[in-house]
Amino acid sequence: MKLAKVRLSDGTIHIAKVDQDQFYLLEMTEVESVSTLSDILHSPDPKGLVNFLQQPDREPLTGADIKLLAPIDNQEVWAAGVTYKRSQVARMEESEAGASHYDMVYTAPRPELFFKSTASRVSGPGDPVRVRYDSNWSVPEPELTLVVSPEKKLVGFTIGNDMSARDIEGENPLYLPQAKFYNQAAGLGPCILIPEEPFDKDGTKINLTIMRDGETVFTDETGTDQIVREFDELIGWLGRENDYPDGVMLMTGTGIVPDDDFSLEDGDEVQIEISGIGTLINPVVKAEE
Ligand code: DO4
Ligand code: MG
């Protein structure tokens, strides 16, 4: 089952069940304590609740009737790093000084986890993601993103873009928060998948395509079978001595890193497809200094 957060032309925001590109608005007034996407996600039985809130006689909407919003309310967004071999190798090349740290964290029991975004900084589908004006080497990172409840239970999946300023991180790994955390540095969407079956970690594919002036300038694919960590392991570490009363989203790391001579430019378009979830598309902006 897929859920989306949508805005209608009258400005009202709704939660919709998505089925074959059709959007079934949920009647949120049916249950007093349920008014947000998080209320559904964090309920004991999200799928049962969605089925209860769906109005069988209400006509579905199409993509033309709605604007998709980032599927987030007040959750913090965190990210795991160096969970794929490709990321370990790229980071070691990027940062001479920090190479051994990236090497060690790939195999260490404790994963790299960092704070990625507040909800207000997140870009939804179609909204711009940003390259910092003080970065000349920035890339998108296409990441399967875990949707985790305040009880630290994995309740769903979405697509995340962990925008990264490689030059800033490469200059000194202590600059990581500046390379990762700034306005519009995180993309999320287009929907949340609440799987009917156990998530297919062995078979799920992640594709990244970057368009420039209508041409593909980069494309690559990986699979979540390449993640060196288990999802429960990452959530376990994330929840150590940390609570998330509004829930938390956890990006699970990138397995795709463009070659070192590639950097995003103003006007590019980033397309991230994860099988079973959908495609997150964002234009790229970069301001003049
Ligand atoms: O260590 C830096 C960040 C790594 C990261 O974001 C990733 O591997 O996806
Ligand atoms: Mg990342």
Side-chain angles (χ1 to χ4, degrees), residues 30-266:
E30 285 287 330
V31 181
E32 207 183 321
S33 58
V34 177
S35 61
T36 64
L37 176 59
S38 302
D39 290 338
I40 297 176
L41 294 171
H42 303 164
S43 74
D45 176 17
K47 282 188 284 233
L49 183 56
V50 168
N51 289 332
F52 179 73
L53 297 173
Q54 193 180 338
Q55 304 296 297
D57 45 1
R58 198 167 184 169
E59 284 296 307
L61 302 178
T62 68
D65 305 318
I66 55 117
K67 156 86 176 91
L68 280 166
L69 304 177
I72 187 169
D73 294 318
N74 292 319
Q75 295 95 325
E76 293 174 11
V77 183
W78 285 69
V82 197
T83 51
Y84 290 76
K85 190 80 190 157
R86 177 68 188 105
S87 181
Q88 180 212 28
V89 169
R91 254 76 202 196
M92 288 173 69
E93 285 167 3
E94 158 193 297
S95 171
E96 231 174 87
S100 63
H101 299 295
Y102 295 109
D103 192 20
M104 285 185 292
V105 83
Y106 181 68
T107 49
R110 184 190 291 270
E112 178 195 5
L113 295 172
F114 57 92
F115 187 74
K116 175 61 192 172
S117 189
T118 53
S120 67
R121 290 180 172 84
V122 169
S123 300
D127 297 335
V129 288
R130 179 167 293 275
V131 171
R132 293 181 64 119
Y133 75 76
D134 53 1
S135 168
N136 291 315
W137 186 21
S138 281
V139 293
E141 295 191 351
E143 307 192 8
L144 178 72
T145 300
L146 311 181
V147 180
V148 181
S149 73
E151 287 74 38
K152 300 173 188 171
K153 199 172 130 215
L154 176 57
V155 292
F157 300 85
T158 188
I159 301 174
N161 178 355
D162 170 23
M163 292 284 290
S164 300
R166 295 190 68 188
D167 44 0
I168 295 176
E169 183 186 341
E171 185 180 341
N172 185 329
L174 293 180
Y175 293 150
L176 182 84
Q178 294 173 74
K180 295 286 194 175
F181 182 97
Y182 53 90
N183 295 333
Q184 300 174 310
L188 285 179
C191 64
I192 289 178
L193 170 73
I194 305 174
E196 313 280 339
E197 308 287 333
F199 185 82
D200 182 12
K201 190 165 182 271
D202 290 335
T204 297
K205 297 287 173 215
I206 301 179
N207 180 281
L208 169 66
T209 298
I210 302 169
M211 306 293 293
R212 182 171 299 159
D213 301 325
E215 308 268 322
T216 300
V217 286
F218 177 84
T219 188
D220 199 3
E221 187 168 271
T222 187
T224 53
D225 58 335
Q226 300 299 308
I227 302 180
V228 76
R229 311 259 179 187
E230 296 303 324
F231 299 148
D232 283 348
E233 178 191 351
L234 291 172
I235 294 169
W237 284 98
L238 187 70
R240 271 202 191 191
E241 294 289 347
N242 236 340
D243 291 329
Y244 303 93
D246 296 313
V248 58
M249 307 271 192
L250 177 62
M251 298 184 179
T252 56
T254 188
I256 300 177
V257 183
D259 289 340
D260 290 356
D261 57 0
F262 181 87
S263 182
L264 284 173
E265 291 179 5
D266 184 65

